[in-house]
Amino acid sequence: MSCSVEDLHWMSLALEEAELAMREGEIPVGAVIVRNGQLLSRAHNLCESGSDATAHAECLAIGQACREVGSWRLSDCTLYVTLEPCPMCAGAAVNARLGRIVYAAKDPRAGAFGSLLDLRSYPLEGRPAVEQGAMESESLALLRAFFAERRKKEKARD
């Protein structure tokens, strides 16, 4: 994917959120939602700290953006996220009618916009434009570092 300067700017904010998640012991995924060049929301994973399986960065950002605009429809918005959305998050994005989704790294284990499955191939109401690859190496580096540290801690406990 050829990234615009604007895409790189917004993805860098999503990466900042992913770094916050990592510092908090969460899987380092961050998301931001933008409308007409304005930041509507930003979030990172909070599943562990909130004991909430649904507290993924994308779902949190979508909820914040909906409250910000006063509508559940985000058709003129772009979601930037550091990892390909899982089925739950992809479903939320489709339901929110997001117009565009830009994600950094593919998720072969749970990605729902092309890797494991593609929700856009189903007859759903929303069909966002999806682009992949903006700051992919930076996102993958965070994920790899997080999981390497987790494995190291698990090994130390054994």
Side-chain angles (χ1 to χ4, degrees):
M1 163 186 158
S2 152
C3 303
S4 71
V5 171
E6 184 178 15
D7 286 343
L8 294 174
H9 168 73
W10 296 119
M11 189 60 78
S12 71
L13 292 183
L15 276 166
E16 287 176 10
E17 288 293 322
E19 290 167 356
L20 283 173
M22 188 166 164
R23 285 196 292 275
E24 294 171 13
E26 301 279 353
I27 293 174
V29 177
V32 300
I33 296 181
V34 177
R35 177 199 231 177
N36 299 324
Q38 298 296 310
L39 180 67
L40 291 179
S41 64
R42 59 190 300 163
H44 57 274
N45 278 1
L46 292 174
C47 296
E48 299 297 332
S49 61
S51 299
D52 182 353
T54 68
H56 289 199
E58 303 95 307
C59 287
L60 296 171
I62 288 168
Q64 289 173 21
C66 289
R67 287 186 294 279
E68 180 69 22
V69 301
S71 174
W72 60 269
R73 291 176 186 89
L74 302 174
S75 57
D76 57 349
C77 298
T78 299
L79 166 67
Y80 293 89
V81 61
T82 59
L83 184 65
E84 181 180 3
C86 70
M88 175 183 71
C89 295
V94 167
N95 191 54
R97 310 297 197 267
L98 275 159
R100 182 172 175 244
I101 297 167
V102 178
Y103 68 87
K106 290 184 179 206
D107 185 352
R109 292 185 179 162
F113 282 125
S115 291
L116 180 65
L117 62 106
D118 193 342
L119 280 189
R120 293 170 302 162
S121 67
Y122 294 88
L124 303 170
E125 292 293 320
R127 284 214 174 84
V130 177
E131 298 173 36
Q132 186 269 325
M135 302 186 81
E136 180 177 20
S137 59
E138 294 88 340
S139 178
L140 287 172
L142 271 181
L143 289 161
R144 287 182 182 127
F146 174 83
F147 286 110
E149 185 62 28
R150 180 186 267 183
R151 284 189 297 276
K152 185 176 160 184
K153 286 178 182 176
E154 287 173 3
K155 206 173 226 182
R157 278 185 261 164
D158 292 343

